[in-house]
Amino acid sequence: MPVEIDILEDSIFRLSPELLNILLKDHTTSKEDIQRNIFWATSDYEYLGEGYQYDSPILPSLITGDNGYVIMPRILKSRDTQTARSREMAEVFTPSWICNAQNNLIDEAWFGRKDVFNTEYTDEQGCHRWKPTSEKIQFPESKTWKDYVRDTRLEITCGEAPYIISRYDTTTGEAIPLEQRIGLLDRKLRVVGENTETSGEWLEWAQEAYKSIYAYEWQGDNLLIARESMLVSFIEYYQQKFGKRPLLRSINYIAYIISWNVWQMDGLKCVVPDSCGMKPSAQQSLFDEPEMIPCEGCKTGNMHKHNGIYCKIMDWQKKEALTFVSLLKERK
């Protein structure tokens, strides 16, 4: 089955309108009875009119139907748009061979040996390539395949998440066959496929793999593409293993995990992008004119002192949400 570089939101919506809503959800700002979506956080789409402003939420109607080609991978965007995003947002995407080399270093440290998942080489044209290992992955005496699947990974400022999932090279648009993929999640799903037999067991450990992978991104379009790629990869790996598509409830649950673990955030402040600013002082009387005070975190550079909205992620072991910043030590 050929790999489609641009995952159309219409195809996700046709599979299930609920599924697209899950992928658009922002858990930090949502309430129990009110869903808030990730927002554009880029001015690239403002020329399209109402609903495409920088601070507007991304709604299904804005990216489906006649608007089905609004969001597309960086490689399919115009050269001017790519240049502008690099200049304004420092958006630089990494070739797959570099992602592979760096992911290999992570695995070399974890396994205690080199070339676990593939061997890197340079072809006759001077291009960097890799050859996947053909044998089943073997684990050190003190570690098991389940330890590997559960080991936590994080991609910072992930863009389209090329370190996590490698359906295509984000710099060339070249599709990557399933057996050649090199992402952190691809490797976990390979291990799950090699060590499970039944659909139920595969699903259980695929879910564990997804719960162990985290990433954050500022711009809403990149974030949605990353979420979609992770979801479609789940379907692709299941189809490879069992020759059919997983049930919709399984797809929805993976989307739910992704919507928690891949979130929208200002990585320097650990808050929802642009949520800091002048805020009314808490120390004022009922009848006083509110005193507006600046964000202490922005002023001092202390990420624990921002007055913006601190982003939430899910601790799947404890089954409770926590702020991402709470995982980082405060400077003394």
Side-chain angles (χ1 to χ4, degrees):
M1 183 174 63
V3 174
E4 294 293 337
I5 301 304
D6 189 8
I7 300 169
L8 297 180
E9 286 72 34
D10 273 325
S11 63
I12 296 174
F13 188 80
R14 283 195 299 269
L15 188 61
S16 164
E18 178 192 3
L19 186 58
L20 186 55
N21 277 321
I22 295 171
L23 290 176
L24 287 170
K25 185 170 184 176
D26 177 66
H27 288 276
T28 296
T29 55
S30 292
K31 309 294 184 184
E32 273 193 31
D33 55 343
I34 300 176
Q35 172 165 326
R36 305 288 187 195
N37 286 4
I38 59 176
F39 68 105
W40 292 104
T42 173
S43 301
D44 288 352
Y45 303 92
E46 291 185 347
Y47 72 94
L48 294 171
E50 189 65 29
Y52 295 96
Q53 286 74 30
Y54 182 97
D55 57 356
S56 298
I58 304 178
L59 304 176
S61 61
L62 301 174
I63 55 175
T64 57
D66 292 340
N67 303 316
Y69 287 90
V70 165
I71 291 182
M72 60 181 66
R74 174 186 169 88
I75 192 63
L76 300 180
K77 292 183 173 81
S78 71
R79 183 65 64 182
D80 287 346
T81 299
Q82 291 183 37
T83 302
R85 288 168 74 111
S86 295
R87 182 177 62 249
E88 296 166 13
M89 297 300 297
E91 181 182 84
V92 180
F93 284 12
T94 310
S96 293
W97 71 268
I98 293 181
C99 296
N100 180 53
Q102 292 179 314
N103 285 350
N104 280 349
L105 290 175
I106 295 171
D107 283 328
E108 182 180 342
W110 197 91
F111 282 86
R113 67 178 192 273
K114 298 181 67 172
D115 304 330
V116 176
F117 287 89
N118 60 68
T119 303
E120 302 164 52
Y121 68 96
T122 304
D123 65 18
E124 294 178 354
Q125 287 73 43
C127 297
H128 297 277
R129 304 287 183 187
W130 60 89
K131 181 180 180 182
T133 53
S134 56
E135 65 275 8
K136 182 179 177 180
I137 304 299
Q138 300 299 312
F139 289 84
E141 286 186 14
S142 59
K143 298 177 178 178
T144 70
W145 69 270
K146 293 180 180 180
D147 295 326
Y148 183 78
V149 171
R150 284 188 172 131
D151 209 40
T152 304
R153 301 283 186 269
L154 168 70
E155 182 178 357
I156 63 171
T157 57
C158 70
E160 295 171 16
Y163 284 91
I164 289 176
I165 210 76
S166 59
R167 298 183 68 254
Y168 58 93
D169 189 307
T170 57
T171 62
T172 66
E174 180 183 358
I176 301 176
L178 210 65
E179 62 277 4
Q180 291 273 348
R181 295 183 188 176
I182 51 79
L184 298 169
L185 182 56
D186 292 306
R187 296 167 188 236
K188 288 173 179 278
L189 292 176
R190 171 179 171 174
V191 167
V192 170
E194 290 179 345
N195 290 278
T196 58
E197 295 297 331
T198 66
S199 172
E201 190 181 14
W202 189 94
L203 287 170
E204 176 188 353
W205 284 98
Q207 290 165 9
E208 290 295 316
Y210 276 81
K211 288 175 180 177
S212 73
I213 293 286
Y214 293 84
Y216 62 81
E217 164 64 17
W218 178 296
Q219 298 175 117
D221 55 351
N222 282 347
L223 182 67
L224 182 59
I225 289 170
R227 288 179 171 186
E228 290 173 342
S229 292
M230 292 175 69
L231 180 70
V232 170
S233 295
F234 167 75
I235 298 172
E236 290 172 337
Y237 277 99
Y238 186 93
Q239 285 180 318
Q240 180 199 49
K241 178 75 172 176
F242 299 104
K244 59 182 179 180
R245 194 166 65 190
L247 296 176
L248 184 57
R249 66 171 180 267
S250 297
I251 298 173
N252 280 347
Y253 186 59
I254 289 294
Y256 173 71
I257 296 171
I258 294 169
S259 69
W260 268 109
N261 282 28
V262 184
W263 72 98
Q264 190 165 29
M265 186 173 79
D266 177 336
L268 296 178
K269 302 177 183 179
C270 299
V271 301
V272 173
D274 297 317
S275 61
C276 290
M278 300 293 289
K279 302 286 177 74
S281 171
Q283 298 177 352
Q284 62 190 52
S285 74
L286 181 62
F287 302 105
D288 285 341
E289 192 72 24
E291 178 190 2
M292 304 300 287
I293 58 175
C295 174
E296 184 181 346
C298 293
K299 191 172 159 183
T300 63
N302 188 333
M303 68 174 61
H304 293 268
K305 300 294 184 181
H306 289 290
N307 64 9
I309 305 169
Y310 280 107
C311 293
K312 297 176 184 176
I313 61 171
M314 178 62 72
D315 181 330
W316 296 100
Q317 287 188 322
K318 295 181 179 178
K319 297 182 180 178
E320 63 182 27
L322 69 161
T323 59
F324 179 73
V325 76
S326 67
L327 302 174
L328 307 176
K329 289 183 178 180
E330 187 168 0
R331 291 183 305 180
K332 300 299 184 184

